Each structure stands twice: as structure tokens, then as C-alpha cells.
Amino acid sequence: MATFIQDTAIPKAEPNTAITSTVHLPHDFHLDYHLEGSPDPQSPVLLFSNELLTTFHIWDPTIKRLKQRLPHFRFLRYNTRGYATPTTAKTITLSTLTSDINALLSHLKISTLHSLVGVGLGGLTALAFASTHPNQLRSFVACNFELASSPELREHWDAQLAYAEKYGMGGILADKVVARWFTADSRASAPWKVVHEMVGSASMPGLATSMHALYEYDESEKMREIRVPGLFVAGATDCIFPEVMSEFPDRMATGLGEFVEIERAGRLPMLESAEAFVGVLDDFLERKVRAQEVEAM
């Protein structure tokens, strides 16, 4: 059950407008969110969860396209803990992140998501939410993440923090992160510059707390209990993710999981190959959710 310190009043949505507001949560954390799309409060909702060191603006190209394809939908996104908003929590766990989503949905009086879409830490959060809150979503899409923590993953983020402490969030750290996340062909592109600025503007103390969510977790066995359709997506050039994630559907109940590899994309296919990503997402949602509706008849 969601716990609130104080709720910001929900602004009234008008046609062709968007809402940007805040939910106040424990540990002095303010969850910033953005809701747009159909003004009908009964419209289906897609929720988007982003990667460490980024803001919800990584979804701008995706939502711009989806609003044209799905005009009767609402599109909700939020800034994950640890980017810029201060919090007194010493560490952040995966349970903290799924509780944040639950609190946001309770605040907006959204009982069920049409789908939860996430990348990196957001992809892991989407998977965890599907296993812990199965009645609050009809499907999920999880991009570029690992099922379980490892010493190598911890060492990677410890190294990022060490660079940040030595050189600051911009400059060398931002260069390293963006070079790792994007293909060589995208270097100095508009998306590359946007993410480079995001990384450089992120909170160093926030990174130090939020990356703890990746230190100790294992969702591999919990996947077997998920009973909603899931799509796993990986950028073709993002390290070992395509090879590893291609096996994820086998860990779910038969017929529920799918895997798609996005060409010419790294960690953030929703930015590098936005049109292809939206096509894959739209196709999955139409097929899987329609199948659920037929089964329910």
C-alpha cells in the first residue's frame, strides 16, 4: 500500500495539454512526473521509466510518435530517484523503486496500467513491478538490463562514481557514459548531445544512492511467476545484452515473453532508433493486449 507524506493536488487536464507535477514521498523525496495525451481520465495509460543518469525526456521521441498512433491513450513518465531531486534515503533498493510507481499510480488514481515500459534500471523496475504488482498492469516492456546483479555490474557503477568524484558529472564521465551507450554513427547527433547534457547535469549524491538498487538483486526466479505478457528489447550494439536477453522469454510462462533486437542502437533504442522502437512497441501492445481481451470474452 502506498505511503505519502503529502500529495500535490492533481491539476485538471484539458484537451491538447500536458500536466507536469510532483508527488511527495517519504525521505523528503519529490517524484516529478509528466502526464499527457487524451484528456479522458478513463483512457488507457502507458508508463515510462528511465535509466540511471537520465531524465524522462529520453522518451520524448517515443511519446511524440505514440501520440499520433494512439491518440486515445495517456502517456505518463517520471524521474527516477537519484537524478536530481534530493532524498534523505541512504540507499535505494528495487523495492523502493516499485513502491514509487505504486505511489504515483495511487496519487493519480490509476488502477491499472496498459503497459509499463522501462530501460536500464527502468527496465529492471518494470520487470520487478510486473512480479510484485501483477494486478496493476496488463503488460510490460523491459529494455537493456540484467536479470541479476553481479560483481562486474557493481564494479562498473563504482567506477562511474569514482570518475564523478574525481572529475565531476560532466566532461570525462559524460563522455565515457555516452560513448558506451550510443553507436559510433550517432556520435555528436542530437540524441547524443541531449543525453550527454543529462549525464552532466545529474546529481552525484543521487547517483551514489540510486546505483545501490543494482548492487544486490535477482529477478530470475521471480520471472516464472509473472502472468502478464512481457517484451524484452535490446539495442544491437549494447554489449552482451542482445545475446543474454534473447533467452529471457524462456524464463517466463510459455507464450508470454518475446524478445526483439533493435538494429543501429545501443543502450537507448528509444532515442537512437525511435521509429523502429515505436513500431516494435506498438505491434506488441496491439497483439498481446488484444489477445488478452479475446481470452476474457
Side-chain angles (χ1 to χ4, degrees):
M1 188 173 184
T3 302
F4 300 95
I5 298 299
Q6 177 184 356
D7 279 347
T8 301
I10 304 173
K12 182 179 179 181
E14 299 295 341
N16 302 315
T17 63
I19 294 170
T20 300
S21 192
T22 301
V23 181
H24 298 245
L25 299 175
H27 300 294
D28 296 330
F29 179 66
H30 300 171
L31 187 73
D32 298 324
Y33 68 87
H34 186 79
L35 176 65
E36 60 189 299
S38 171
D40 182 356
Q42 301 304 314
S43 296
V45 178
L46 298 181
L47 174 61
F48 298 84
S49 182
N50 41 284
E51 170 66 294
L52 279 171
L53 298 175
T54 68
T55 74
F56 59 53
H57 287 295
I58 64 169
W59 302 105
D60 284 354
T62 295
I63 293 176
K64 178 181 179 180
R65 289 167 171 78
L66 286 175
K67 286 171 70 175
Q68 297 175 343
R69 294 182 180 224
L70 305 171
H72 59 295
F73 272 64
R74 290 182 289 166
F75 306 95
L76 175 62
R77 41 187 164 153
Y78 67 98
N79 282 333
T80 303
R81 284 181 186 250
Y83 178 78
T85 308
T87 174
T88 58
K90 294 183 179 179
T91 59
I92 295 173
T93 66
L94 196 52
S95 177
T96 308
L97 300 179
T98 57
S99 295
D100 286 348
I101 291 178
N102 190 39
L104 176 60
L105 299 183
S106 296
H107 172 67
L108 293 172
K109 298 179 173 57
I110 297 172
S111 59
T112 306
L113 292 170
H114 193 78
S115 193
L116 171 54
V117 186
V119 61
L121 179 60
L124 175 62
T125 304
L127 179 72
F129 192 82
S131 66
T132 56
H133 298 75
N135 297 323
Q136 291 181 253
L137 77 172
R138 302 180 68 184
S139 65
F140 69 92
V141 180
C143 313
N144 299 68
F145 74 102
E146 298 184 48
L147 275 183
S149 57
S150 65
E152 294 77 16
L153 183 62
R154 181 167 184 161
E155 289 173 6
H156 166 75
W157 284 107
D158 283 344
Q160 304 306 317
L161 181 60
Y163 264 92
E165 291 173 340
K166 186 174 182 178
Y167 301 107
M169 296 299 291
I172 293 178
L173 176 64
D175 290 345
K176 282 173 56 66
V177 170
V178 177
R180 179 185 176 91
W181 285 358
F182 282 83
T183 63
D185 291 341
S186 294
R187 185 171 181 81
S189 65
W192 188 97
K193 293 176 181 177
V194 166
V195 175
H196 191 279
E197 183 176 350
M198 286 182 185
V199 175
S201 301
S203 163
M204 188 188 308
L207 173 63
T209 56
S210 59
M211 68 186 198
H212 279 271
L214 297 172
Y215 275 10
E216 293 185 16
Y217 71 90
D218 189 342
E219 295 295 305
S220 54
E221 291 301 319
K222 297 176 184 177
M223 284 182 66
R224 304 182 190 282
E225 305 302 320
I226 295 176
R227 291 297 178 264
V228 297
L231 173 65
F232 302 101
V233 179
T237 66
D238 192 12
C239 302
I240 62 171
F241 284 110
E243 178 182 356
V244 172
M245 293 184 66
S246 66
E247 301 177 357
F248 287 3
D250 296 335
R251 295 177 174 270
M252 294 183 65
T254 303
L256 285 181
E258 296 183 16
F259 170 76
V260 174
E261 181 177 310
I262 304 291
E263 296 296 329
R264 297 182 295 279
R267 177 62 54 87
L268 305 173
M270 67 291 306
L271 279 176
E272 273 198 286
S273 298
E275 195 65 36
F277 179 78
V278 169
V280 166
L281 177 59
D282 189 20
D283 174 70
F284 169 76
L285 295 176
E286 182 177 0
R287 287 186 296 101
K288 288 300 184 180
V289 176
R290 178 180 293 175
Q292 289 178 318
E293 293 172 347
V294 171
E295 291 178 1
M297 293 177 62

PDB file of all heavy atoms in Angstrom, residues 193-220:
ATOM      1  N   LYS A 193      23.876  14.466 -27.896  1.00  0.00           N
ATOM      2  CA  LYS A 193      24.078  15.704 -27.157  1.00  0.00           C
ATOM      3  C   LYS A 193      23.088  15.849 -26.009  1.00  0.00           C
ATOM      4  O   LYS A 193      23.449  16.335 -24.928  1.00  0.00           O
ATOM      5  CB  LYS A 193      23.971  16.886 -28.110  1.00  0.00           C
ATOM      6  CG  LYS A 193      25.090  16.957 -29.140  1.00  0.00           C
ATOM      7  CD  LYS A 193      24.880  18.102 -30.118  1.00  0.00           C
ATOM      8  CE  LYS A 193      25.992  18.152 -31.155  1.00  0.00           C
ATOM      9  NZ  LYS A 193      25.761  19.216 -32.165  1.00  0.00           N
ATOM     10  N   VAL A 194      21.841  15.431 -26.233  1.00  0.00           N
ATOM     11  CA  VAL A 194      20.822  15.515 -25.188  1.00  0.00           C
ATOM     12  C   VAL A 194      21.212  14.661 -23.985  1.00  0.00           C
ATOM     13  O   VAL A 194      21.155  15.098 -22.828  1.00  0.00           O
ATOM     14  CB  VAL A 194      19.445  15.070 -25.730  1.00  0.00           C
ATOM     15  CG1 VAL A 194      18.464  14.827 -24.591  1.00  0.00           C
ATOM     16  CG2 VAL A 194      18.883  16.131 -26.683  1.00  0.00           C
ATOM     17  N   VAL A 195      21.619  13.416 -24.244  1.00  0.00           N
ATOM     18  CA  VAL A 195      21.978  12.510 -23.146  1.00  0.00           C
ATOM     19  C   VAL A 195      23.278  12.953 -22.479  1.00  0.00           C
ATOM     20  O   VAL A 195      23.430  12.846 -21.253  1.00  0.00           O
ATOM     21  CB  VAL A 195      22.079  11.063 -23.657  1.00  0.00           C
ATOM     22  CG1 VAL A 195      22.559  10.132 -22.547  1.00  0.00           C
ATOM     23  CG2 VAL A 195      20.722  10.592 -24.172  1.00  0.00           C
ATOM     24  N   HIS A 196      24.216  13.462 -23.253  1.00  0.00           N
ATOM     25  CA  HIS A 196      25.462  13.972 -22.679  1.00  0.00           C
ATOM     26  C   HIS A 196      25.155  15.085 -21.667  1.00  0.00           C
ATOM     27  O   HIS A 196      25.737  15.130 -20.572  1.00  0.00           O
ATOM     28  CB  HIS A 196      26.374  14.500 -23.790  1.00  0.00           C
ATOM     29  CG  HIS A 196      27.769  14.798 -23.357  1.00  0.00           C
ATOM     30  ND1 HIS A 196      28.119  15.977 -22.714  1.00  0.00           N
ATOM     31  CD2 HIS A 196      28.920  14.068 -23.455  1.00  0.00           C
ATOM     32  CE1 HIS A 196      29.409  15.957 -22.444  1.00  0.00           C
ATOM     33  NE2 HIS A 196      29.925  14.817 -22.883  1.00  0.00           N
ATOM     34  N   GLU A 197      24.231  15.941 -22.011  1.00  0.00           N
ATOM     35  CA  GLU A 197      23.845  17.021 -21.096  1.00  0.00           C
ATOM     36  C   GLU A 197      23.120  16.472 -19.874  1.00  0.00           C
ATOM     37  O   GLU A 197      23.323  16.955 -18.754  1.00  0.00           O
ATOM     38  CB  GLU A 197      22.951  18.021 -21.823  1.00  0.00           C
ATOM     39  CG  GLU A 197      22.553  19.213 -20.963  1.00  0.00           C
ATOM     40  CD  GLU A 197      21.737  20.245 -21.710  1.00  0.00           C
ATOM     41  OE1 GLU A 197      21.626  20.141 -22.949  1.00  0.00           O
ATOM     42  OE2 GLU A 197      21.194  21.158 -21.054  1.00  0.00           O
ATOM     43  N   MET A 198      22.283  15.456 -20.062  1.00  0.00           N
ATOM     44  CA  MET A 198      21.583  14.831 -18.935  1.00  0.00           C
ATOM     45  C   MET A 198      22.571  14.260 -17.933  1.00  0.00           C
ATOM     46  O   MET A 198      22.453  14.479 -16.717  1.00  0.00           O
ATOM     47  CB  MET A 198      20.666  13.712 -19.433  1.00  0.00           C
ATOM     48  CG  MET A 198      19.403  14.146 -20.117  1.00  0.00           C
ATOM     49  SD  MET A 198      18.426  12.688 -20.591  1.00  0.00           S
ATOM     50  CE  MET A 198      17.101  13.466 -21.508  1.00  0.00           C
ATOM     51  N   VAL A 199      23.543  13.504 -18.439  1.00  0.00           N
ATOM     52  CA  VAL A 199      24.533  12.891 -17.551  1.00  0.00           C
ATOM     53  C   VAL A 199      25.323  13.964 -16.819  1.00  0.00           C
ATOM     54  O   VAL A 199      25.557  13.880 -15.607  1.00  0.00           O
ATOM     55  CB  VAL A 199      25.480  11.972 -18.348  1.00  0.00           C
ATOM     56  CG1 VAL A 199      26.593  11.431 -17.438  1.00  0.00           C
ATOM     57  CG2 VAL A 199      24.708  10.818 -18.976  1.00  0.00           C
ATOM     58  N   GLY A 200      25.716  15.008 -17.540  1.00  0.00           N
ATOM     59  CA  GLY A 200      26.488  16.078 -16.922  1.00  0.00           C
ATOM     60  C   GLY A 200      25.723  16.862 -15.886  1.00  0.00           C
ATOM     61  O   GLY A 200      26.316  17.466 -14.984  1.00  0.00           O
ATOM     62  N   SER A 201      24.385  16.861 -15.986  1.00  0.00           N
ATOM     63  CA  SER A 201      23.541  17.613 -15.052  1.00  0.00           C
ATOM     64  C   SER A 201      23.020  16.765 -13.899  1.00  0.00           C
ATOM     65  O   SER A 201      22.335  17.281 -13.010  1.00  0.00           O
ATOM     66  CB  SER A 201      22.347  18.217 -15.810  1.00  0.00           C
ATOM     67  OG  SER A 201      22.778  19.079 -16.845  1.00  0.00           O
ATOM     68  N   ALA A 202      23.321  15.473 -13.907  1.00  0.00           N
ATOM     69  CA  ALA A 202      22.812  14.577 -12.865  1.00  0.00           C
ATOM     70  C   ALA A 202      23.480  14.860 -11.523  1.00  0.00           C
ATOM     71  O   ALA A 202      24.579  15.416 -11.449  1.00  0.00           O
ATOM     72  CB  ALA A 202      23.041  13.124 -13.272  1.00  0.00           C
ATOM     73  N   SER A 203      22.811  14.429 -10.464  1.00  0.00           N
ATOM     74  CA  SER A 203      23.303  14.631  -9.102  1.00  0.00           C
ATOM     75  C   SER A 203      24.314  13.540  -8.725  1.00  0.00           C
ATOM     76  O   SER A 203      24.006  12.349  -8.822  1.00  0.00           O
ATOM     77  CB  SER A 203      22.127  14.609  -8.124  1.00  0.00           C
ATOM     78  OG  SER A 203      22.559  14.407  -6.802  1.00  0.00           O
ATOM     79  N   MET A 204      25.501  13.944  -8.293  1.00  0.00           N
ATOM     80  CA  MET A 204      26.484  12.964  -7.841  1.00  0.00           C
ATOM     81  C   MET A 204      26.004  12.227  -6.582  1.00  0.00           C
ATOM     82  O   MET A 204      26.085  10.992  -6.515  1.00  0.00           O
ATOM     83  CB  MET A 204      27.839  13.617  -7.609  1.00  0.00           C
ATOM     84  CG  MET A 204      28.945  12.615  -7.334  1.00  0.00           C
ATOM     85  SD  MET A 204      30.506  13.394  -6.841  1.00  0.00           S
ATOM     86  CE  MET A 204      30.738  14.576  -8.167  1.00  0.00           C
ATOM     87  N   PRO A 205      25.497  12.921  -5.555  1.00  0.00           N
ATOM     88  CA  PRO A 205      24.950  12.199  -4.400  1.00  0.00           C
ATOM     89  C   PRO A 205      23.780  11.300  -4.787  1.00  0.00           C
ATOM     90  O   PRO A 205      23.602  10.221  -4.230  1.00  0.00           O
ATOM     91  CB  PRO A 205      24.503  13.327  -3.458  1.00  0.00           C
ATOM     92  CG  PRO A 205      25.329  14.501  -3.861  1.00  0.00           C
ATOM     93  CD  PRO A 205      25.494  14.390  -5.339  1.00  0.00           C
ATOM     94  N   GLY A 206      22.988  11.761  -5.754  1.00  0.00           N
ATOM     95  CA  GLY A 206      21.877  10.942  -6.220  1.00  0.00           C
ATOM     96  C   GLY A 206      22.351   9.659  -6.872  1.00  0.00           C
ATOM     97  O   GLY A 206      21.801   8.585  -6.637  1.00  0.00           O
ATOM     98  N   LEU A 207      23.396   9.750  -7.689  1.00  0.00           N
ATOM     99  CA  LEU A 207      23.973   8.556  -8.301  1.00  0.00           C
ATOM    100  C   LEU A 207      24.478   7.599  -7.234  1.00  0.00           C
ATOM    101  O   LEU A 207      24.282   6.384  -7.320  1.00  0.00           O
ATOM    102  CB  LEU A 207      25.108   8.950  -9.243  1.00  0.00           C
ATOM    103  CG  LEU A 207      25.927   7.798  -9.837  1.00  0.00           C
ATOM    104  CD1 LEU A 207      25.053   6.902 -10.699  1.00  0.00           C
ATOM    105  CD2 LEU A 207      27.108   8.332 -10.644  1.00  0.00           C
ATOM    106  N   ALA A 208      25.129   8.143  -6.210  1.00  0.00           N
ATOM    107  CA  ALA A 208      25.703   7.312  -5.145  1.00  0.00           C
ATOM    108  C   ALA A 208      24.638   6.500  -4.414  1.00  0.00           C
ATOM    109  O   ALA A 208      24.908   5.380  -3.970  1.00  0.00           O
ATOM    110  CB  ALA A 208      26.465   8.189  -4.153  1.00  0.00           C
ATOM    111  N   THR A 209      23.423   7.049  -4.290  1.00  0.00           N
ATOM    112  CA  THR A 209      22.360   6.309  -3.610  1.00  0.00           C
ATOM    113  C   THR A 209      21.589   5.409  -4.567  1.00  0.00           C
ATOM    114  O   THR A 209      21.296   4.258  -4.260  1.00  0.00           O
ATOM    115  CB  THR A 209      21.384   7.270  -2.916  1.00  0.00           C
ATOM    116  OG1 THR A 209      20.854   8.204  -3.874  1.00  0.00           O
ATOM    117  CG2 THR A 209      22.062   8.027  -1.803  1.00  0.00           C
ATOM    118  N   SER A 210      21.279   5.918  -5.759  1.00  0.00           N
ATOM    119  CA  SER A 210      20.417   5.156  -6.663  1.00  0.00           C
ATOM    120  C   SER A 210      21.098   3.928  -7.247  1.00  0.00           C
ATOM    121  O   SER A 210      20.438   2.917  -7.516  1.00  0.00           O
ATOM    122  CB  SER A 210      19.914   6.052  -7.796  1.00  0.00           C
ATOM    123  OG  SER A 210      20.985   6.587  -8.543  1.00  0.00           O
ATOM    124  N   MET A 211      22.412   3.973  -7.421  1.00  0.00           N
ATOM    125  CA  MET A 211      23.069   2.820  -8.024  1.00  0.00           C
ATOM    126  C   MET A 211      23.091   1.616  -7.087  1.00  0.00           C
ATOM    127  O   MET A 211      23.345   0.488  -7.521  1.00  0.00           O
ATOM    128  CB  MET A 211      24.493   3.175  -8.469  1.00  0.00           C
ATOM    129  CG  MET A 211      25.472   3.450  -7.359  1.00  0.00           C
ATOM    130  SD  MET A 211      27.055   4.017  -8.062  1.00  0.00           S
ATOM    131  CE  MET A 211      28.136   3.748  -6.653  1.00  0.00           C
ATOM    132  N   HIS A 212      22.771   1.840  -5.809  1.00  0.00           N
ATOM    133  CA  HIS A 212      22.683   0.717  -4.869  1.00  0.00           C
ATOM    134  C   HIS A 212      21.556  -0.239  -5.236  1.00  0.00           C
ATOM    135  O   HIS A 212      21.577  -1.412  -4.834  1.00  0.00           O
ATOM    136  CB  HIS A 212      22.485   1.230  -3.440  1.00  0.00           C
ATOM    137  CG  HIS A 212      23.759   1.669  -2.783  1.00  0.00           C
ATOM    138  ND1 HIS A 212      24.561   0.825  -2.064  1.00  0.00           N
ATOM    139  CD2 HIS A 212      24.384   2.872  -2.784  1.00  0.00           C
ATOM    140  CE1 HIS A 212      25.615   1.480  -1.617  1.00  0.00           C
ATOM    141  NE2 HIS A 212      25.536   2.730  -2.042  1.00  0.00           N
ATOM    142  N   ALA A 213      20.575   0.249  -5.997  1.00  0.00           N
ATOM    143  CA  ALA A 213      19.490  -0.629  -6.434  1.00  0.00           C
ATOM    144  C   ALA A 213      20.018  -1.745  -7.331  1.00  0.00           C
ATOM    145  O   ALA A 213      19.373  -2.788  -7.493  1.00  0.00           O
ATOM    146  CB  ALA A 213      18.428   0.182  -7.172  1.00  0.00           C
ATOM    147  N   LEU A 214      21.206  -1.549  -7.903  1.00  0.00           N
ATOM    148  CA  LEU A 214      21.802  -2.527  -8.809  1.00  0.00           C
ATOM    149  C   LEU A 214      22.856  -3.400  -8.129  1.00  0.00           C
ATOM    150  O   LEU A 214      23.488  -4.224  -8.783  1.00  0.00           O
ATOM    151  CB  LEU A 214      22.440  -1.806  -9.998  1.00  0.00           C
ATOM    152  CG  LEU A 214      21.469  -1.012 -10.877  1.00  0.00           C
ATOM    153  CD1 LEU A 214      22.244  -0.177 -11.893  1.00  0.00           C
ATOM    154  CD2 LEU A 214      20.500  -1.943 -11.584  1.00  0.00           C
ATOM    155  N   TYR A 215      23.047  -3.226  -6.847  1.00  0.00           N
ATOM    156  CA  TYR A 215      24.092  -3.965  -6.139  1.00  0.00           C
ATOM    157  C   TYR A 215      23.691  -5.396  -5.794  1.00  0.00           C
ATOM    158  O   TYR A 215      24.482  -6.321  -5.958  1.00  0.00           O
ATOM    159  CB  TYR A 215      24.470  -3.229  -4.856  1.00  0.00           C
ATOM    160  CG  TYR A 215      25.504  -2.143  -5.039  1.00  0.00           C
ATOM    161  CD1 TYR A 215      25.898  -1.723  -6.301  1.00  0.00           C
ATOM    162  CD2 TYR A 215      26.097  -1.532  -3.942  1.00  0.00           C
ATOM    163  CE1 TYR A 215      26.843  -0.731  -6.464  1.00  0.00           C
ATOM    164  CE2 TYR A 215      27.047  -0.529  -4.096  1.00  0.00           C
ATOM    165  CZ  TYR A 215      27.415  -0.134  -5.358  1.00  0.00           C
ATOM    166  OH  TYR A 215      28.352   0.851  -5.511  1.00  0.00           O
ATOM    167  N   GLU A 216      22.491  -5.555  -5.269  1.00  0.00           N
ATOM    168  CA  GLU A 216      22.064  -6.883  -4.819  1.00  0.00           C
ATOM    169  C   GLU A 216      20.612  -7.127  -5.211  1.00  0.00           C
ATOM    170  O   GLU A 216      19.694  -6.674  -4.539  1.00  0.00           O
ATOM    171  CB  GLU A 216      22.237  -7.022  -3.306  1.00  0.00           C
ATOM    172  CG  GLU A 216      23.685  -7.015  -2.836  1.00  0.00           C
ATOM    173  CD  GLU A 216      23.799  -7.283  -1.349  1.00  0.00           C
ATOM    174  OE1 GLU A 216      22.815  -7.757  -0.756  1.00  0.00           O
ATOM    175  OE2 GLU A 216      24.863  -7.007  -0.783  1.00  0.00           O
ATOM    176  N   TYR A 217      20.430  -7.845  -6.293  1.00  0.00           N
ATOM    177  CA  TYR A 217      19.077  -8.208  -6.717  1.00  0.00           C
ATOM    178  C   TYR A 217      19.160  -9.449  -7.594  1.00  0.00           C
ATOM    179  O   TYR A 217      20.200  -9.763  -8.174  1.00  0.00           O
ATOM    180  CB  TYR A 217      18.408  -7.063  -7.487  1.00  0.00           C
ATOM    181  CG  TYR A 217      18.968  -6.824  -8.865  1.00  0.00           C
ATOM    182  CD1 TYR A 217      18.440  -7.477  -9.982  1.00  0.00           C
ATOM    183  CD2 TYR A 217      20.054  -5.973  -9.070  1.00  0.00           C
ATOM    184  CE1 TYR A 217      18.968  -7.276 -11.251  1.00  0.00           C
ATOM    185  CE2 TYR A 217      20.585  -5.765 -10.336  1.00  0.00           C
ATOM    186  CZ  TYR A 217      20.031  -6.423 -11.421  1.00  0.00           C
ATOM    187  OH  TYR A 217      20.558  -6.230 -12.667  1.00  0.00           O
ATOM    188  N   ASP A 218      18.084 -10.180  -7.694  1.00  0.00           N
ATOM    189  CA  ASP A 218      17.997 -11.347  -8.565  1.00  0.00           C
ATOM    190  C   ASP A 218      16.526 -11.589  -8.905  1.00  0.00           C
ATOM    191  O   ASP A 218      15.743 -12.013  -8.060  1.00  0.00           O
ATOM    192  CB  ASP A 218      18.587 -12.573  -7.879  1.00  0.00           C
ATOM    193  CG  ASP A 218      18.724 -13.765  -8.824  1.00  0.00           C
ATOM    194  OD1 ASP A 218      18.071 -13.754  -9.883  1.00  0.00           O
ATOM    195  OD2 ASP A 218      19.478 -14.702  -8.510  1.00  0.00           O
ATOM    196  N   GLU A 219      16.164 -11.269 -10.118  1.00  0.00           N
ATOM    197  CA  GLU A 219      14.774 -11.406 -10.567  1.00  0.00           C
ATOM    198  C   GLU A 219      14.558 -12.658 -11.415  1.00  0.00           C
ATOM    199  O   GLU A 219      13.454 -12.872 -11.931  1.00  0.00           O
ATOM    200  CB  GLU A 219      14.375 -10.170 -11.388  1.00  0.00           C
ATOM    201  CG  GLU A 219      14.349  -8.885 -10.586  1.00  0.00           C
ATOM    202  CD  GLU A 219      13.287  -8.900  -9.507  1.00  0.00           C
ATOM    203  OE1 GLU A 219      12.102  -9.145  -9.832  1.00  0.00           O
ATOM    204  OE2 GLU A 219      13.646  -8.679  -8.333  1.00  0.00           O
ATOM    205  N   SER A 220      15.574 -13.498 -11.566  1.00  0.00           N
ATOM    206  CA  SER A 220      15.493 -14.635 -12.485  1.00  0.00           C
ATOM    207  C   SER A 220      14.401 -15.627 -12.112  1.00  0.00           C
ATOM    208  O   SER A 220      13.658 -16.097 -12.985  1.00  0.00           O
ATOM    209  CB  SER A 220      16.846 -15.338 -12.572  1.00  0.00           C
ATOM    210  OG  SER A 220      17.318 -15.711 -11.295  1.00  0.00           O
TER     211      SER A 220
END
